[in-house]
Amino acid sequence: MPSIITLTLNPAVDKNSQVQQVVAERKLRCEPPVHHPGGGGLNVARAITELGGDVEAYWACGGAIGQLLSQLLDEEHIVHHPLSIDAQTRENMILFERSSEQQYRFGMPGPSLTADEIRTCLDTLLAIEPPPEYLVLSGSLPAGVDEALYARVAEAMPASCRVVLDTSGTPLQRGLETPLFLLKPNMRELGQLAGRPVEDDSQIRNVARSLIDQGKVEVVVTSLGSGGAVLTTAETHRHIRAPTVNIRSKVGAGDSMVAGLVLALSEGKPLADAMRFGVAAGSAAVMTGGTELCRRENTERLFRKME
Ligand SMILES: Nc1ncnc2c1ncn2[C@@H]1O[C@H](COP(=O)(O)OP(=O)(O)OP(=O)(O)O)[C@@H](O)[C@H]1O
Ligand SMILES: [Mg+2]
């Protein structure tokens, strides 16, 4: 049994295509689409697998798009468990406009889960034997479900399981209704938690420490994009700079960072080293084009450079 599992309640198939120019009211001739798995927890599982770690992904799977997603995960050799739902898994559209070299990203809301489906999902996680050491809750929640669902999942898990949360908005705020191990906000998300903008290091420290002092979370990792990340615990507060890399696409930087961080922690690495590996994985994700996540070789090279 792996020590890491991820949960994705609002996964997606990302459909990528290209068009010369986006023009309203006209039939646009697009290139043959390429499909990729999407959704926070699935991306974290893909990145951990790429980095050579053991992980199993649990995800809500419905309809024909759910079947396609299952097939895409199989092709990438991801160990995964579809949780069957009635409604159709969503499909997002990513369209590259060649004339402007800009990307248009159309996100669909995703299907809601019934109370029974949520119950089954919780029961499935609880039945994992032995319980995972790490549970990564990542990505948006489908419309219509209890916005405190991440807190409900976390509180149902055995105390030995360290829960990592990476989401935004109300699911992030309400996710903290039960004590968690680690939170990975960016500055905007930390501001959502604080109820005011968070703009500098002292504000990061104040907000993160206040969450820790209230017993809501043990570790706060605030990611700063090209600025790297800040680690805050009850004992430490330190900044880890990101290496300079050639920027191709920032998609998946946050998910790759969570993947590197949790993988290193699950291998027993100290927090400071795990942070560096997470930042290296996030920066490695920026070096790859499109929706591709971090590559192992780049991550390990950046990690060594940062030592
Ligand atoms: N321009 C960049 N150069 C180098 N590293 C970067 C850059 N952008 C992001 N990273 C790396 O990726 C990590 C996470 O990035 P970021 O803070 O943008 O996460 P996020 O806002 O959660 O992103 P996402 O939109 O993927 O959820 C950073 O800590 C850093 O290591
Ligand atoms: Mg993020």
Side-chain angles (χ1 to χ4, degrees), residues 1-304:
M1 202 25 84
S3 53
I4 310 172
I5 67 170
T6 72
L7 177 66
T8 317
L9 292 169
N10 200 13
V13 167
D14 288 335
K15 184 179 201 151
N16 292 264
S17 185
Q18 297 194 3
V19 69
Q20 184 54 30
Q21 199 178 358
V22 179
V23 186
E25 308 289 345
R26 215 182 295 151
K27 199 178 261 181
L28 304 174
R29 304 278 168 208
C30 299
E31 295 292 314
V34 181
H35 298 98
H36 296 290
L42 290 182
N43 279 339
V44 172
R46 293 167 68 212
I48 291 176
T49 304
E50 162 65 24
L51 293 171
D54 282 334
V55 59
E56 297 193 9
Y58 288 76
W59 58 284
C61 171
I65 305 293
Q67 291 305 314
L68 171 60
L69 183 47
S70 183
Q71 196 183 315
L72 293 169
L73 292 169
D74 288 342
E75 283 166 12
E76 290 192 20
H77 307 290
I78 309 299
V79 182
H80 68 100
H81 306 271
L83 304 160
S84 180
I85 60 168
D86 265 345
Q88 173 107 272
T89 296
R90 69 191 167 132
E91 184 178 49
N92 294 330
M93 179 78 198
I94 299 153
L95 197 59
F96 181 76
E97 186 186 51
R98 282 192 298 267
S99 58
S100 64
E101 299 201 341
Q102 282 195 313
Q103 207 179 46
Y104 291 84
R105 301 172 64 88
F106 303 93
M108 308 298 157
S112 196
L113 277 67
T114 65
D116 274 353
E117 288 166 348
I118 289 171
R119 185 72 253 158
T120 309
C121 161
L122 281 174
D123 289 346
T124 307
L125 295 181
L126 283 177
I128 300 173
E129 264 310 320
E133 283 172 53
Y134 288 87
L135 167 63
V136 180
L137 303 173
S138 174
S140 59
L141 285 176
V145 307
D146 174 10
E147 291 191 296
L149 186 56
Y150 281 142
R152 301 289 87 82
V153 176
E155 75 195 354
M157 295 305 285
S160 63
C161 175
R162 290 172 148 183
V163 178
V164 174
L165 179 65
D166 180 10
T167 186
S168 59
T170 313
L172 170 60
Q173 281 160 347
R174 307 246 2 234
L176 287 170
E177 286 178 11
T178 199
L180 305 176
F181 172 62
L182 188 149
L183 203 62
K184 206 296 288 165
N186 55 29
M187 294 243 265
R188 182 177 45 81
E189 291 155 351
L190 200 63
Q192 291 169 348
L193 284 176
R196 57 178 188 278
V198 169
E199 280 153 357
D200 60 28
D201 186 70
S202 77
Q203 292 174 344
I204 293 175
R205 180 172 41 200
N206 288 343
V207 178
R209 277 277 160 75
S210 123
L211 297 172
I212 294 165
D213 292 346
Q214 292 171 68
K216 294 186 172 187
V217 61
E218 287 175 49
V219 182
V220 180
V221 174
T222 309
S223 65
L224 314 173
S226 60
V230 175
L231 167 69
T232 313
T233 66
E235 293 83 31
T236 57
H237 176 79
R238 51 184 292 202
H239 182 192
I240 292 89
R241 259 170 238 293
T244 304
V245 294
N246 283 330
I247 301 173
R248 288 193 57 206
S249 154
K250 292 182 188 169
V251 178
D255 295 332
S256 295
M257 178 190 207
V258 171
L261 181 64
V262 174
L263 173 59
L265 287 173
S266 77
E267 289 169 343
K269 300 230 166 68
L271 246 183
D273 291 352
M275 272 297 285
R276 240 180 328 116
F277 196 65
V279 169
S283 300
V286 173
M287 297 169 67
T288 56
T291 51
E292 194 185 340
L293 305 168
C294 57
R295 289 197 195 147
R296 183 175 186 173
E297 188 196 322
N298 292 337
T299 304
E300 288 173 350
R301 188 169 42 77
L302 292 175
F303 178 68
R304 283 193 299 272

